[in-house]
Structure formats: C-alpha cells, structure tokens
Amino acid sequence: VSSGKMMSRDTFIRTDNLITDIEEYRNYNDDIEHSRINRVSTVDVGSGINAAELAGMFAGDDPSFSRTISRKIKKLSYENKIIYKSELNKIIAELERTREVKEKKYVNEILSAFTMKGLSGENDTITTYDLMSVDSEGRRILPSTDKEFGEFEAMLRHNPAYLKGIYSADPATGEISDFGIFLRLVDIPNHDAVAREIFEIAGSYNSNDLRVLTQGEPILYKQIYDYMQSDLMFFVPLVLLVISVIFFLNFGTLQGVLVPLATLIMADIWLLGLMGHMGFRLSVLGISLPPLVISVGSSYSIHIINRFLIDRESIVRDRKSGLHSSMKRIGITLFLASITTVIGFATNMATQVSSIFEWGVFAAIGTFFAVSIAALLVPAVFSLVEIRTPANIINTILKVRGKNSSPDKKGAADRVVDFLAGTAVKHYRAVLAAAMIVAVISAAGVFRIRTETSLPSYFKANDYINTSSVEIGKKFGGTMGLNILIDTKNADGVKSSEFLNRVERAREWLVSAENSDLHIGRTDAFGDFIKTMNMAMNNDDKKFYSIPVNDADIMDFFEIYSGDDDNSDGRIDDFEPYIDPAFSTVNLFARLQEREGKLLGTSEISYIINRVRDHMVKEFEPLGCEIIISGEPLIIQSLAKYIVYGQLWSLFLSLAAVCMVVIVLFKNIKAGFVALVPIGLALLFNFGVMGWLGIRLDIATAIIASITVGIGVDNTIHFLNNYRMVSRDKTLSFDETLITTLSVAGKAIIYAALALICGFSVLVVSSFKPIMLFGILMGITFIATTAGALLILPAFIKAVNFSMDESTATADLQRFESGGARELIEKLIRSSRQNSRIHKSLKRGYDRIFL
C-alpha cells in the first residue's frame, strides 16, 4: 500500500478497510454471510434502482458488505446502469461465489502494521501488545492526531525487523512510504479462487493518491490463467481466418475453403474434448495446441485436394474410382508425413517436465486426429459433390500433365517454384556453398544460447506482474526467495547461542554490499524473535537487539514467553515458519531482489544458489550441520536442467525415428539420410537465430526442435515421394526429373508451408513472451524447412547424384542381405508359425522388403 501521505488519517482509514475486507476470508461467519445475501435478495428494485443506491442501502450498518456490492457492480460493469431484477440476480450470484470462497477460510494469517503484536519486557516477563489498539468489539482504533501518528510511527521504527518487513521508508527522505500486508494462505494446491478475490479487493482501493499492488505466486498464476483464456479465445478464430485465406489463395473456390476448414475444426473439437474428458488442464504451453493442430492439419488437406486437382480428369470420368486411385497415390505421402510428425511430437515424452510431456502427448494425438479426419472426410465429401476449380488452376494442372490448354498466366507460386527449380539444378554448387556459410554462422550462434525458466520471464517487461514485482522487491527486499534449512542434527540445537550467532553472521554475509551480486535484499530467521526478546528484556534498548551470548538467557526467553499454539505441536504459532517442532532445524529465508529494474533470470539464479550453498556448507559444516536449500528458485534451476536434457533426448530420438521411418517406408537406405540434410540445416539455423538474437531456451522454445523435425520433414517426404514417382519415367534426364518433381510437388509444399507460417504467426500477439517468441521462431523455422525442401534438397541430390529408382534400392538391399540379414529374418518367420498373427505380419513385411 503506497501513498504520498502514508501517515495520514485518510490513508489509515482506507488501509484499515482493505485489511478488514481481507479478514473476512479468515474469520468467516456463516450466519452473517447468508443474512447479507438474503437481504439483497429481498431488495425491491421495482422499475429499477441506481447502482450506487443499491450499495448505499448497506453502507450504514455494514460498510464492508457495501464495499463488496460495489466491487461486484464494477466487475459486472453496472456502475452507470439501472439495476433491474435480472441484473440483481447476477449480483447475487457473484456474492454467493464470494461467500463460498470465504467459507474455505483460505487466509491463515495476516501480517501488517495494523494487525501484528509487539513485544515488551518488564519484571522478568515478556508480554505482547497490539501495535494498533483495538476496542471492545475488536475494531482497530486508528490514530487521529499528529501525536498519535508520531507514537505509532515510533513503535514501527523501534524494531529493526519491521523495516522492509511491514513498512518501507523512502531512501531519500527517510519517511514511511509504504505498508506491507503479508497474507499467509492455507496449504492447498490451488489458490486461484482466493487470489481472484484479493486481487479484486486490492484493485478497488486504487486511486490517484493511493496505490495497492499485489504480488506472490497465487497472483502470478491467476494472471497466467487469465492471459491463457484471452489468448485461446483470440488465437483459434484468428488462425482459422488466416488458414481460410490460404485455402482460398490455393484453391480459389468456396468449396476449397469450407471442406478442409471443417476437418480442422473437427480435429480441434476432438482434441480439446478428449483433454476435457480426461481431466487435463491447458498449461501455458498447451494454449499453442489448438492453433498447432489447425496449422498442421491444413497441410494434409492441401496435399489431398491438390492431388485431386492433378487427377481431376480421371475423377470426372469415374468419381469413386478416380478418388480411390488418387488417394492411393497421396496415401503413402500422407502416412509418411503424419507418422514422422506424430513421432516428432511424441519424443517430447522423454522430458521430466510435465507440461512438455503432456504437450507432446496431445500434439501427437491432435496430429493423428487431423490426418485421419482429412483422409476420410475430404474424399467422402468429394464422392458426393463435384470438385470445382477455377479455370486458371485447371490450366496450370494441364500444363504440368503435358496437355494442351488455353494460354494462362502462371501464378505467383508457380513462378517461385520455377525459380527455385532452376536455381537448385543449374546452380547447385552455389546453393550448397551458401547453405554451408549459413550453417557455420548458425553453429557459432548455438553456443550463445542460454536457458530461461523463471515464471516472471513469461510476461512482457511492462506487464503488471513484472512492474509490481520490481517495485515491491525494491521496497521490501524481494518477492521470492530461498529457504535455507540448517539442520543441527540435535533436538533443541537451534537454542544454542553459538549456532544462532553463526546464523546471524551468515545473514549479514548474504546481504552485505560486497555480495551484491547475490541480489538478496532481506533475510528472515528465527533469530529475529530472540533479538526482539533480548531487546524487550533490556528496557527496549536497541543496543540489545542481538543474540545473547549465553545459552541460559535464550532458554529463559522460552520459559517466560507465552504465545498461541493452536495445533499443539510444541511451537508457538509465530515460530512455525522458522523452526521445526524438535527445534533442531532453522529456516533462513533469503528474499531475492531485482535490481536496476531487471528481473532475475535462470543463469543468475543458478549462480546465486551455488554461491549461497558453498558458503553455508563452509560456515556450518564444522558444527556438523546439514544444509538443504529449497524454494521457487530451486524449481527454476531444476526446470532449466530438465529442459536442456529433454531437448537433447527429443532431438536425438526424433531425428533417429525420422531416418528409420523414411528408410523402411521408401525401402531405400540412402533416402533416410538424405531426408536429414534439409532438416538438420533448418534446426541449426533455428538455434543459430536464437543464439544471435538472445532468445533463450524456455518451456515453449524447447519444443521447437521436435516440431521442426516432425513437421518440417513433411515437405522433404512430399518431395522424395514425388521424386520416386517421377524417376520411373526413364525418358527424363536427371535434371528434368528434379525439375518435374519440383513442378508437381512445389506448389503444394509452398501453400502448406504458408499455412503453417501464417498459422503460427498469430501467436506473436500472445500475452506471454515465450509463446510470442515461439510463434516468431516457428515462422522462421518453416521458411527454413521449405527452402530446404525446395532448394537445398534438390541441390544436394544433384551434387551426390542420388537416385530413388528400383535398381538403386535393389542394390542397397542386396548389400543388406549380404550381412546374413535375409537368412536371419527367414529363420525368424519359420519359428513364428505357432502364432499365426505374428507369422502373417512378418511374412507380409518380408514380402514387401525382399520380393
């Protein structure tokens, strides 16, 4: 809570109201809450009442509830409306939802200057007192005169632990500039409901002269969830619109837009419906799934319909027979493309990061849905309706087939294909030389890549989450921190003067100016209680704000200090965050602070953790203590390691799987390795761009490699499959075979790539930085894979004189047989006769490979 006049009656009243509103989520009263809602239900709106009038009905006897009604009116945007019965019912529904949250009593403790107790000592006793007095009904008595404000301020300043704890002072003037209100919530997995309520309450107190900022993990996840919803609602319609434009540019008919669009919508519905039925939630990474399925699925429909257009003459003569024949031609390509994409996505299951694992599973399932629906629905529709094609497309197809047609100007895609074909075949050395230069530059950039897994890094620099984190961190020492657990291995070990003084020296080291690179703005530990007790027992003299030198004095403090122990675990409730029940382990909490307005990244956090661990082990090992460091920064550090390892495994598995699939399905060993050339260069280019542009490897960009392999290889497969079919025409020279292959496959590849590039480009408007960068990088990657398939791949084939005709494949298989593989497989088939299913499967595979 920040104001230009913190020590003023108006600021105190509003701060007290804020705390009072939050206290209702700790001190729930069922009778009062139901009575409130019943009173609203009985309001007679008649012909309508003013919104302010409705809230004013409760202002006199229940101001807190009146403020609640005002918040709900604002949330529903009813401030300037007349409230009728329907609007009143919506307000009541909102009030009931709030009551249900209050009923859970999510708020366990509120620490603030208005609610905390101080310590005083007299006659060998330590007593507690309220920093702010309360009346007989428990309401806080706020200062009203300059003298009372001065006395209250003196109490705050008297205890050094309060500075950057419950208040902050302006470093220039020394005046109190902020109050900190710390909410300790009950330990449950999901705080979303209470986070929304508190965020709403805090926002209602913001004005020109009072600022209320909220921070903490529940608020962070609340913002993430809100952004995910808005992104998802925006992405899906936008990507469908973009893909529709691509369909129209390619096919030029309404039919060519609606049919493939229906397959994409159906695939998304199936995927999201499956996730819903299985109880999976969309993660930050998961919001890319719907646009991904749409973008990937669009390429399958494009290739199918383009194949139908090429075979249009036979389809017109005999529709069902022609469609069947056409699907047989494109079927192997579809199968190859989809299986490699599914495998590429599924390799993300090798990671230990659950959100990446789930993304890999459902991306693979979504791809399977997309190709299955496209392969079934598109030919089914065209078996009932005639394929309609603009005349210019028909003429282009006829030219490709060598037929006479009316003169027609080539489209942009055809001109691009002709240019790439000529360049790849006639200037293949220059193409490969340029590719090698780019590869070397990219390889240098790979070594500049860093990992980033900090949640605040998901947000843009000027986002509320980051700006509030920097401001609160600057004033209160940080918004996240390390829990440094120091285990003495002895019951009551933390009551030792030597041990506690050593902890205090460690705290001084952590926040010292010479260790500013640790970015630790404040530490909290059990010693603060002991130091406060020591000061209280010495007439509140600040000189005694220290750990006593005698163990006996510390033991006496525990004897004479009394406090609440609601759970009867042997610890005073105030001590619970800092010591264990056996008093053998102390928790030293070190808050990490962003300095100079810069957020701490993963590399900085890893450096801090390692330095802190080394020092603490060195400091406490002589006492036989064990050091355990935990907290959110450790999760960030571990996540970075898992992402890097998962990326390497995913990359290796996807490349190996793609190579094997191409070898088996093309029955050509060299084809598998040739297919890796454009993909490998595209991967290297992607990582090089990341390194040179300073884009860090995070939870979103970590999956780009598997996507590049899984989807990018589709273009390579389409090219190789068409190259194989064109190679059967022995009248064509080697160069003519390559050029013809590009003419047949090039246009479909370009439009499929355009759909992918445009589909992923909508992610650049995401609220999350990783998703935004993911969209940019995917666009760059698909440009690279398309250039690889249409330029580098034919140039490489020309350079190595690679052929996919049957004689070459037979020679490769003969070399394979010479190693005794054929005899081994035949023996295996004979031994499997007892199981007819296995025997038939092996025999079928043997026949396909060798016969």
Side-chain angles (χ1 to χ4, degrees):
V1 180
S2 180
S3 171
K5 295 180 180 180
M6 288 302 299
M7 305 306 287
S8 67
R9 179 75 177 174
D10 180 62
T11 299
F12 269 52
I13 289 173
R14 286 190 280 177
T15 304
D16 182 58
N17 289 341
L18 168 62
I19 295 172
T20 300
D21 291 346
I22 296 173
E23 284 175 328
E24 294 196 345
Y25 295 81
R26 182 188 182 197
N27 307 316
Y28 174 76
N29 187 307
D30 191 68
D31 292 337
I32 290 176
E33 292 298 330
H34 278 102
S35 173
R36 286 171 163 178
I37 296 175
N38 289 336
R39 288 163 62 195
V40 177
S41 302
T42 59
V43 171
D44 183 12
V45 295
S47 57
I49 61 172
N50 186 276
E53 183 183 349
L54 176 63
M57 291 181 177
F58 304 90
D61 60 336
D62 198 344
S64 179
F65 186 54
S66 176
R67 293 192 294 271
T68 303
I69 293 176
S70 297
R71 289 196 301 272
K72 300 307 176 184
I73 288 173
K74 184 176 182 180
K75 180 180 179 180
L76 295 168
S77 302
Y78 290 166
E79 306 102 303
N80 302 315
K81 289 185 178 180
I82 300 298
I83 304 298
Y84 299 100
K85 189 63 178 177
S86 59
E87 286 80 10
L88 184 66
N89 289 337
K90 291 181 181 179
I91 293 172
I92 292 171
E94 283 290 328
L95 294 173
E96 178 60 29
R97 274 192 285 270
T98 294
R99 186 202 64 77
E100 291 173 356
V101 177
K102 290 180 180 179
E103 188 177 23
K104 303 291 177 57
K105 297 182 181 180
Y106 284 118
V107 178
N108 193 27
E109 187 176 12
I110 301 174
L111 304 176
S112 73
F114 286 44
T115 59
M116 284 183 65
K117 294 181 180 293
L119 294 177
S120 66
E122 188 176 356
N123 299 326
D124 293 332
T125 60
I126 297 176
T127 59
T128 61
Y129 62 92
D130 293 315
L131 292 180
M132 185 170 287
S133 302
V134 295
D135 60 19
S136 58
E137 296 181 0
R139 291 176 298 195
R140 286 176 284 273
I141 304 173
L142 305 180
S144 57
T145 65
D146 290 342
K147 180 183 177 182
E148 290 173 343
F149 278 111
E151 291 172 348
F152 182 75
E153 184 175 345
M155 282 193 296
L156 292 181
R157 293 183 182 274
H158 182 68
N159 191 332
Y162 292 161
L163 179 61
K164 288 195 172 182
I166 57 175
Y167 79 90
S168 176
D170 188 325
T173 64
E175 294 182 358
I176 292 179
S177 57
D178 307 86
F179 284 140
I181 304 172
F182 293 84
L183 309 182
R184 187 173 294 137
L185 305 181
V186 295
D187 188 13
I188 58 172
N190 188 355
H191 293 107
D192 184 70
V194 69
R196 292 183 179 281
E197 292 289 329
I198 291 170
F199 189 80
E200 183 181 300
I201 291 171
S204 69
Y205 284 90
N206 274 308
S207 61
N208 293 332
D209 57 347
L210 190 75
R211 294 177 64 236
V212 182
L213 300 179
T214 52
Q215 255 296 333
E217 196 173 277
I219 297 296
L220 184 67
Y221 282 109
K222 176 258 176 197
Q223 290 292 88
I224 287 175
Y225 184 79
D226 286 350
Y227 284 155
M228 283 169 53
Q229 277 199 316
S230 61
D231 277 0
L232 196 59
M233 297 300 291
F234 181 68
F235 285 162
V236 174
L238 183 59
V239 74
L240 285 172
L241 176 63
V242 169
I243 296 299
S244 298
V245 173
I246 302 299
F247 284 152
F248 187 77
L249 290 175
N250 191 3
F251 305 122
T253 65
L254 186 61
Q255 180 191 74
V257 174
L258 296 180
V259 174
L261 203 61
T263 69
L264 304 180
I265 294 172
M266 195 179 298
D268 255 359
I269 291 173
W270 284 21
L271 178 64
L272 294 177
L274 177 66
M275 293 180 71
H277 282 301
M278 295 179 68
F280 282 91
R281 294 187 176 207
L282 279 177
S283 63
V284 174
L285 190 57
I287 62 175
S288 66
L289 284 172
L292 177 135
V293 170
I294 292 172
S295 301
V296 173
S298 65
S299 67
Y300 301 129
S301 295
I302 286 174
H303 283 292
I304 291 173
I305 297 177
N306 268 315
R307 185 73 248 178
F308 287 175
L309 294 174
I310 292 172
D311 298 333
R312 189 174 184 276
E313 287 183 355
S314 61
I315 295 173
V316 169
R317 286 195 301 269
D318 187 338
R319 185 178 298 174
K320 291 189 177 182
S321 176
L323 287 170
H324 184 263
S325 176
S326 190
M327 279 302 297
K328 285 181 67 176
R329 290 192 184 94
I330 195 65
I332 184 64
T333 307
L334 277 180
F335 177 70
L336 282 165
S338 62
I339 196 67
T340 51
T341 303
V342 168
I343 290 172
F345 291 158
T347 56
N348 286 289
M349 295 166 64
T351 184
Q352 290 180 276
V353 183
S354 60
S355 58
I356 296 179
F357 178 93
E358 291 171 7
W359 183 93
V361 171
F362 287 107
I365 293 173
T367 301
F368 174 75
F369 285 165
V371 70
S372 300
I373 294 171
L376 293 169
L377 185 64
V378 173
V381 169
F382 286 121
S383 68
L384 299 174
V385 299
E386 182 183 353
I387 302 175
R388 296 179 181 178
T389 313
N392 63 327
I393 296 180
I394 294 176
N395 291 331
T396 303
I397 293 167
L398 292 174
K399 289 176 184 177
V400 171
R401 295 175 62 86
K403 304 288 185 178
N404 293 326
S405 62
S406 58
D408 186 70
K409 188 178 180 181
K410 286 190 175 184
D414 297 307
R415 293 196 297 272
V416 170
V417 170
D418 290 346
F419 171 77
L420 293 176
T423 303
V425 175
K426 296 176 183 177
H427 308 286
Y428 66 93
R429 290 189 180 90
V431 169
L432 294 178
M436 290 305 299
I437 293 171
V438 172
V440 170
I441 296 172
S442 299
V446 171
F447 296 99
R448 300 167 60 91
I449 294 178
R450 297 293 180 268
T451 309
E452 183 58 79
T453 52
S454 173
L455 278 179
S457 69
Y458 287 12
F459 300 90
K460 298 172 185 176
N462 60 350
D463 191 275
Y464 171 82
I465 285 293
N466 285 333
T467 56
S468 62
S469 177
V470 169
E471 184 171 348
I472 293 176
K474 181 179 179 181
K475 294 178 177 179
F476 288 90
T479 56
M480 73 170 176
L482 297 170
N483 292 290
I484 307 169
L485 305 181
I486 310 169
D487 187 358
T488 65
K489 300 294 184 180
N490 297 308
D492 290 335
V494 301
K495 297 179 181 178
S496 163
S497 174
E498 180 187 0
F499 173 76
L500 289 175
N501 273 292
R502 196 173 286 250
V503 173
E504 291 305 305
R505 288 196 298 272
R507 294 175 67 185
E508 291 172 5
W509 182 86
L510 290 170
V511 298
S512 63
E514 64 186 45
N515 294 315
S516 60
D517 57 338
L518 296 179
H519 293 272
I520 296 176
R522 175 186 168 88
T523 63
D524 297 278
F526 181 63
D528 290 335
F529 292 99
I530 303 299
K531 291 188 290 184
T532 303
M533 291 180 191
N534 193 35
M535 183 175 68
M537 290 300 293
N538 288 276
N539 299 316
D540 288 335
D541 189 341
K542 280 190 176 182
K543 292 188 298 183
F544 291 92
Y545 186 75
S546 60
I547 303 295
V549 294
N550 297 319
D551 290 353
D553 291 335
I554 296 174
M555 298 302 292
D556 287 342
F557 292 161
F558 283 100
E559 291 292 331
I560 63 178
Y561 179 69
S562 61
D564 296 330
D565 182 13
D566 291 338
N567 57 6
S568 302
D569 67 349
R571 293 174 296 177
I572 294 171
D573 292 339
D574 293 339
F575 296 169
E576 289 186 2
Y578 304 103
I579 54 173
D580 68 328
F583 287 80
S584 63
T585 303
V586 68
N587 174 25
L588 195 171
F589 184 69
R591 300 186 197 174
L592 300 185
Q593 178 182 30
E594 296 88 359
R595 292 177 181 163
E596 300 176 358
K598 295 180 180 178
L599 295 170
L600 291 177
T602 303
S603 58
E604 293 89 350
I605 288 174
S606 295
Y607 168 79
I608 293 168
I609 292 171
N610 293 333
R611 270 204 68 193
V612 169
R613 181 184 285 111
D614 291 343
H615 178 80
M616 300 304 286
V617 168
K618 179 182 177 181
E619 186 73 19
F620 289 93
E621 206 170 47
L623 297 181
C625 298
E626 181 184 3
I627 304 298
I628 300 172
I629 300 180
S630 66
E632 186 182 343
L634 266 294
I635 297 174
I636 292 171
Q637 185 187 44
S638 298
L639 187 60
K641 179 181 68 176
Y642 292 149
I643 282 178
V644 171
Y645 290 163
Q647 175 82 150
L648 292 174
W649 267 110
S650 173
L651 185 57
F652 170 77
L653 291 173
S654 56
L655 287 173
V658 163
C659 183
M660 291 304 299
V661 167
V662 173
I663 288 173
V664 171
L665 295 178
F666 277 118
K667 293 187 288 185
N668 189 309
I669 296 172
K670 292 179 182 178
F673 296 98
V674 169
L676 297 182
V677 172
I679 299 303
L681 290 173
L683 280 172
L684 195 59
F685 180 69
N686 168 70
F687 287 122
V689 168
M690 289 179 64
W692 286 114
L693 296 183
I695 299 174
R696 299 197 173 192
L697 191 67
D698 55 37
I699 202 165
T701 55
I703 62 174
I704 289 179
S706 61
I707 296 178
T708 302
V709 176
I711 302 178
V713 78
D714 289 3
N715 292 334
T716 301
I717 287 173
H718 283 295
F719 180 91
L720 290 176
N721 191 47
N722 281 282
Y723 180 55
R724 180 175 62 173
M725 289 189 291
V726 174
S727 296
R728 292 169 182 166
D729 188 348
K730 302 302 181 182
T731 63
L732 298 176
S733 67
F734 190 81
D735 287 1
E736 290 173 336
T737 300
L738 284 174
I739 292 173
T740 304
T741 300
L742 283 166
S743 300
V744 174
K747 189 174 180 180
I749 289 174
I750 287 176
Y751 277 112
L754 191 61
L756 288 166
I757 293 167
C758 294
F760 279 102
S761 68
V762 304
L763 299 177
V764 301
V765 297
S766 173
S767 305
F768 296 110
K769 268 176 56 180
I771 299 299
M772 180 183 68
L773 293 173
F774 173 73
I776 295 172
L777 288 172
M778 289 312 304
I780 294 172
T781 299
F782 287 128
I783 291 173
T785 56
T786 304
L790 297 181
L791 193 61
I792 297 173
L793 182 60
F796 181 76
I797 289 174
K798 168 73 173 176
V800 300
N801 198 30
F802 170 67
S803 175
M804 289 188 69
D805 60 29
E806 294 179 3
S807 61
T808 303
T810 301
D812 289 336
L813 286 172
Q814 286 173 348
R815 286 192 290 272
F816 179 67
E817 291 179 49
S818 65
R822 180 168 184 169
E823 290 77 6
L824 181 64
I825 295 173
E826 289 173 345
K827 184 177 180 181
L828 183 64
I829 292 173
R830 287 194 297 272
S831 64
S832 67
R833 286 173 179 169
Q834 293 180 351
N835 189 317
S836 60
R837 180 181 297 177
I838 295 177
H839 179 75
K840 288 179 180 178
S841 298
L842 288 172
K843 186 70 168 61
R844 191 181 304 115
Y846 173 86
D847 291 345
R848 287 192 62 186
I849 294 173
F850 294 106
L851 305 183

